[in-house]
Amino acid sequence: MPLHPGKSQAVISENIREMRHAGHPENVSVAAAMNEARKSRAEGGPTERSLSPLGLYSHAADVARSLPQAKGTTPQMLAMLTARGVKPEEMKWAGQPAQPNMTREKLAAHFQQNMPQLQETILGDLTPEQKAQGYAVEEDGEITRPTTVRGPFPQRPKFAQYTLPGGSNYREVLMHLPDLELPPVPKEWHKQHQDLFNKVSNRIPSPDDARRYKEIRDRIFEREKEIRKSRENNFKSPHWDIPNVVAHLRLNDRKDHEGRPHLHIEELQSDWGQKGRKEGFREANDPRLMEYKKLEKEANALHEEMTRRHLADRSWWGSEEHKAMAARWREMDARLHSEFHHQTTREISAVPSAPYVTSTQGWTDLGLKRALIEAARGNYSHLSWTPGEEQAKRYDLSKHVDSLHYDPDQEEGKIVGFKNKQKILDEHWIKPDRLPDYVGKDVAKRLLEQPRKVHKLYERYDTAKTPSLVHSLEGQDLHIGGEGMRSYYDKIVPTQLMKIAKKLDPQAKLGTSRIPIEQQHSEVPSLEITPRMRSAILQGLPAYEHGGYVPKADGGSLTQLSNVRQARQLPHFGPPHHVPHATKLHTGPVHSAVAGRTDHVPTHVPNGSYVIPADIVSGLGEGNSMAGFRHIKRMFAELRRKYGGLPYSGDTAPYGQHGGPYGMHSRGGATHGVPVVLAGGEHVLSPEEVGLAGGGDTATGHKVLDSFVKQYRAKLVKTLKGLPPPRQD
């Protein structure tokens, strides 16, 4: 009898329902289900499906428990899972079991344990106790409480203003993977390093001091390397404080014109998925990336060996052996910055693939299933959502500002917005390629297309000595975009929702509901949560859904019944994956606790930047790095006055919220550049500054700067050779 094994009441009820749906009489259905439960009990088989806290289950674990073969080699058992519909993606993310042989129970446990470790944080949600005490969430998201109640407020939602009028119990549901970043290096380690560095730098160190310095330096270096690696495995959305948010839902409660309760989706989105779709997903085993990392590791090891020998024997520096090692290191460094530079920039800065986020369908299905589970558990009659046209109107920039102005010259890019002649947006250091993070892709594109001219309103707030020429958009020119919103909420969401719903209840249908909005009833798309659908949801939904064939049982065929059941056991992706945080590009001085090449300050810089070495910076400041930084600032201020500044645009625009609810309020932003390891005391020139050095041409600027560094270093060496040697006390 092709039924679910297990003796629990939930599994027995599921088997009875499937038998009845296939056309079998009540008595036959009950008898068959009970017989399957007794058989499972006698054989010591699995008793029931295991659900995650979010109400999801592993399809692979379900299939593994029902395998006809009790044990076998691992490849044999995995092959049987594949033959029974477990998808390759699930195998990939769960990883292959280490044991050469497996029982079906251990195989099921492997997939169950390696389900995505999804966690959930709800902003604005009130517990029953808080509601009983008088807490309330207002329509604008503010949380109020009686004056007699003490204690912390619940976490306030961030985007309550972006909803349809009306509704109650607004909350933001964040589905995220665990935070993987390690804690920082202990402060006492840095203090020990500083004290020992002073000892070994100011005199010939004793063997004990040199050993202790190397130990603490290596310990800090290894810990920082571990921290960097863990930080790269975190994804940080510019909109949420919690890292690794796979997808988010913005929900509230509504009632239709008949008083029926609706769970309403104001927004379903994935910043992580959107960023990866635009910038590309990085594969962990990419051969080019592996080759880059191997060479980088060898170059770092060689540099460390040179430093170790220098600390052990000061006379070694300048020897033939040192010159040979230094030449080899320079060759490796040149390869890293030339041969591998352009080929690996995308792979290194791209977003790693992870469960759910690699396709719009994946994270959309996850969000819809989370909403369906809440609708079933909360006894809502319908699941509804805001349609695409309303979404487009909601995020129309013309509703939030009357005019928008961008000055690429001031403060490395300045964007200003006005509403009713009052300045409501004023952001600095915004390169053109980062504009989409603040105003959306379509608006940024149109804004930069406008000819630069003097604008009277902007001039009132302008601090420049002469009137600035700015790109400007006003009035109806700000009414742009919305096609993506319409496509997603009017096509993708209903299509994916029906693929899920039809497997829960073949009679499921999409419709519309009339809900009160601003003293009138407006229609929104909705799905009725039928009793059959509710019952199926409460038994769990597969952790991953890819839609596909929706079978129907007819004529009482037991073969058809098996197909119905198999269609419900859908694949999921495996363990939590590690993802990078959103990267900010660094330009300007590089500060650290200790100056020198052993600092290892990891960061990303814009493509086309130029790093002025620490010895040149110090020389420009006559031995003082801070004075050197100021000298460089004055140099380029003169060049800007001479050439009037140069517009800079990156080769690839980064991910930005395309007319999303966060619009101009985005902070930070994610962009991709060149990953580097800098040292304290160095100075990173932006591509714009490099262009200024070349009289308007970036390539010429690099040649000019190379020549300057070479000549200035020769001058420094000549000066140093003329100084008396240090005292040997």
Side-chain angles (χ1 to χ4, degrees):
M1 180 73 64
L3 295 172
H4 297 291
K7 61 186 179 182
S8 74
Q9 186 58 50
V11 175
I12 293 171
S13 300
E14 169 74 2
N15 288 335
I16 292 173
R17 262 194 312 277
E18 291 194 353
M19 292 284 288
R20 291 175 62 189
H21 180 62
H24 293 282
E26 176 76 15
N27 59 338
V28 175
S29 302
V30 173
M34 295 303 293
N35 182 61
E36 186 70 21
R38 283 191 293 270
K39 179 182 175 183
S40 178
R41 188 186 301 114
E43 294 176 352
T47 58
E48 58 185 295
R49 173 183 293 163
S50 298
L51 300 182
S52 73
L54 271 66
L56 306 175
Y57 69 86
S58 163
H59 168 50
D62 260 19
V63 174
R65 294 186 190 101
S66 61
L67 288 176
Q69 186 171 319
K71 60 182 178 181
T73 66
T74 298
Q76 285 175 340
M77 302 297 277
L78 292 176
M80 283 189 279
L81 294 186
T82 303
R84 285 163 173 76
V86 177
K87 300 291 184 181
E89 290 87 350
E90 182 168 6
M91 304 285 195
K92 170 187 173 182
W93 292 111
Q96 184 156 330
Q99 302 91 332
N101 299 291
M102 297 287 288
T103 64
R104 59 189 173 198
E105 290 77 23
K106 288 184 178 179
L107 188 61
H110 167 78
F111 282 100
Q112 189 67 44
Q113 292 164 5
N114 287 298
M115 284 181 65
Q117 303 300 303
L118 281 172
Q119 302 171 357
E120 189 174 273
T121 297
I122 304 179
L123 308 181
D125 190 37
L126 300 179
T127 65
E129 293 77 14
Q130 289 168 333
K131 291 178 182 178
Q133 289 175 332
Y135 283 86
V137 181
E138 302 299 327
E139 191 171 329
D140 62 358
E142 289 289 347
I143 297 176
T144 59
R145 68 179 179 188
T147 55
T148 56
V149 177
R150 295 291 180 265
F153 275 94
Q155 288 184 282
R156 184 182 183 277
K158 300 180 71 172
F159 304 108
Q161 67 271 34
Y162 298 103
T163 60
L164 294 177
S168 61
N169 193 25
Y170 172 79
R171 62 268 195 201
E172 295 163 355
V173 180
L174 313 183
M175 293 161 280
H176 53 94
L177 297 173
D179 185 353
L180 300 169
E181 183 172 345
L182 296 174
V185 176
K187 291 182 179 179
E188 53 268 25
W189 290 16
H190 284 300
K191 187 177 186 307
Q192 292 176 38
H193 180 271
Q194 182 68 61
D195 293 343
L196 288 168
F197 179 81
N198 292 336
K199 286 185 178 181
V200 301
S201 298
N202 298 330
R203 59 182 175 81
I204 298 177
S206 66
D208 185 55
D209 283 344
R211 177 187 57 79
R212 290 169 56 210
Y213 171 73
K214 180 182 182 304
E215 287 177 354
I216 188 65
R217 185 201 66 193
D218 290 349
R219 192 192 313 170
I220 291 175
F221 176 74
E222 289 301 320
R223 174 61 70 86
E224 286 179 339
K225 187 164 66 172
E226 293 172 357
I227 293 171
R228 287 198 302 273
K229 186 175 181 180
S230 69
R231 188 183 298 130
E232 289 170 359
N233 293 333
N234 263 353
F235 173 78
K236 187 66 173 66
S237 163
H239 306 130
W240 308 110
D241 300 327
I242 298 170
N244 300 336
V245 176
V246 172
H248 67 263
L249 285 162
R250 300 195 301 110
L251 306 170
N252 56 29
D253 297 347
R254 296 180 181 272
K255 290 186 177 181
D256 66 5
H257 68 293
E258 297 180 8
R260 296 176 297 183
H262 283 50
L263 176 64
H264 187 79
I265 300 174
E266 292 287 357
E267 179 180 80
L268 165 57
Q269 194 54 261
S270 170
D271 294 341
W272 187 351
Q274 293 279 25
K275 178 178 170 65
R277 184 173 66 87
K278 292 174 177 62
E279 298 184 7
F281 288 99
R282 182 175 76 225
E283 291 295 335
N285 297 322
D286 183 274
R288 190 67 177 170
L289 182 59
M290 299 297 287
E291 189 179 355
Y292 176 92
K293 288 186 174 180
K294 180 182 178 183
L295 182 60
E296 184 182 43
K297 184 177 180 180
E298 291 174 357
N300 288 339
L302 182 60
H303 190 274
E304 287 295 307
E305 177 62 16
M306 291 166 60
T307 304
R308 184 190 67 79
R309 294 197 182 191
H310 175 59
L311 289 173
D313 181 7
R314 293 298 178 93
S315 64
W316 179 82
W317 198 268
S319 66
E320 291 302 318
E321 186 181 16
H322 165 252
K323 291 178 181 177
M325 292 178 70
R328 196 160 77 251
W329 180 84
R330 283 194 295 271
E331 181 185 352
M332 291 180 176
D333 192 57
R335 284 189 67 198
L336 288 171
H337 288 84
S338 59
E339 178 184 343
F340 285 91
H341 175 74
H342 294 292
Q343 294 92 331
T344 57
T345 295
R346 179 174 177 81
E347 287 90 340
I348 292 169
S349 60
V351 180
S353 56
Y356 302 109
V357 300
T358 54
S359 72
T360 301
Q361 182 175 326
W363 56 260
T364 298
D365 286 350
L366 175 66
L368 291 174
K369 279 186 278 190
R370 168 60 179 80
L372 284 169
I373 289 170
E374 179 160 342
R377 290 175 175 174
N379 290 318
Y380 294 89
S381 68
H382 289 73
L383 177 67
S384 59
W385 64 94
T386 301
E389 186 60 36
E390 289 298 325
Q391 298 277 0
K393 291 178 182 177
R394 174 183 296 171
Y395 306 133
D396 182 0
L397 195 60
S398 63
K399 296 175 66 174
H400 305 283
V401 295
D402 297 329
S403 65
L404 196 64
H405 312 276
Y406 178 66
D407 186 348
D409 296 337
Q410 278 204 48
E411 301 175 65
E412 299 189 20
K414 180 178 181 180
I415 184 168
V416 177
F418 295 94
K419 182 72 173 178
N420 298 325
K421 297 185 179 181
Q422 298 297 314
K423 184 163 62 173
I424 63 168
L425 173 69
D426 188 357
E427 293 288 346
H428 305 181
W429 301 289
I430 309 301
K431 301 287 188 182
D433 61 340
R434 286 187 58 206
L435 269 178
D437 288 339
Y438 291 80
V439 298
K441 182 180 70 173
D442 296 331
V443 173
K445 181 175 182 294
R446 181 175 289 187
L447 179 61
L448 292 174
E449 290 173 348
Q450 305 306 307
R452 295 175 64 179
K453 59 184 180 180
V454 175
H455 192 281
K456 290 185 178 180
L457 187 57
Y458 181 88
E459 192 177 359
R460 285 170 49 191
Y461 295 87
D462 193 5
T463 57
K465 293 181 179 179
T466 58
S468 298
L469 301 177
V470 296
H471 302 284
S472 300
L473 283 179
E474 299 182 82
Q476 288 302 309
D477 288 338
L478 292 166
H479 185 71
I480 308 170
E483 291 77 12
M485 293 287 182
R486 297 182 188 93
S487 174
Y488 182 71
Y489 288 100
D490 295 344
K491 295 179 182 178
I492 295 176
V493 167
T495 298
Q496 294 307 116
L497 182 58
M498 284 308 295
K499 287 180 180 179
I500 300 171
K502 282 289 188 179
K503 292 180 175 68
L504 303 170
D505 182 354
Q507 306 303 317
K509 293 181 180 178
L510 288 179
T512 57
S513 296
R514 295 177 62 200
I515 60 174
I517 299 177
E518 294 183 331
Q519 300 180 345
Q520 64 179 1
H521 288 89
S522 300
E523 288 192 346
V524 296
S526 64
L527 171 72
E528 181 182 0
I529 309 298
T530 65
R532 178 171 181 171
M533 190 184 302
R534 190 185 310 277
S535 177
I537 292 171
L538 293 177
Q539 293 183 49
L541 294 177
Y544 259 72
E545 182 101 32
H546 286 282
Y549 172 56
V550 181
K552 297 182 181 179
D554 56 0
S557 165
L558 287 177
T559 302
Q560 193 70 22
L561 170 64
S562 176
N563 291 339
V564 172
R565 182 175 60 259
Q566 184 179 353
R568 295 187 185 180
Q569 300 171 336
L570 297 165
H572 84 297
F573 280 68
H577 198 74
H578 306 155
V579 296
H581 65 300
T583 305
K584 295 182 180 179
L585 303 188
H586 177 83
T587 57
V590 180
H591 300 287
S592 68
V594 183
R597 284 303 302 252
T598 58
D599 277 353
H600 295 286
V601 181
T603 186
H604 285 65
V605 298
N607 186 16
S609 301
Y610 189 95
V611 179
I612 299 180
D615 61 328
I616 304 299
V617 174
S618 177
L620 290 170
E622 298 182 345
N624 186 300
S625 294
M626 296 304 295
F629 291 148
R630 291 192 291 271
H631 184 88
I632 293 171
K633 184 177 180 181
R634 288 194 297 271
M635 286 170 55
F636 283 91
E638 282 296 321
L639 288 173
R640 282 193 180 90
R641 279 192 288 271
K642 179 179 179 181
Y643 294 108
L646 294 173
Y648 162 65
S649 69
D651 52 354
T652 306
Y655 161 67
Q657 184 65 29
H658 295 241
Y662 323 106
M664 301 183 303
H665 303 289
S666 300
R667 293 291 185 270
T671 180
H672 61 280
V674 182
V676 295
V677 178
L678 300 174
E682 293 179 334
H683 190 289
V684 181
L685 298 178
S686 70
E688 180 232 5
E689 291 169 326
V690 174
L692 287 170
D697 180 72
T698 304
T700 303
H702 279 280
K703 293 178 182 178
V704 169
L705 291 166
D706 278 335
S707 177
F708 165 74
V709 169
K710 184 177 180 180
Q711 293 178 24
Y712 199 86
R713 181 168 282 146
K715 178 182 176 183
L716 286 175
V717 170
K718 184 177 180 180
T719 303
L720 290 172
K721 283 182 177 179
L723 297 176
R727 293 173 55 188
Q728 304 266 331
D729 294 332

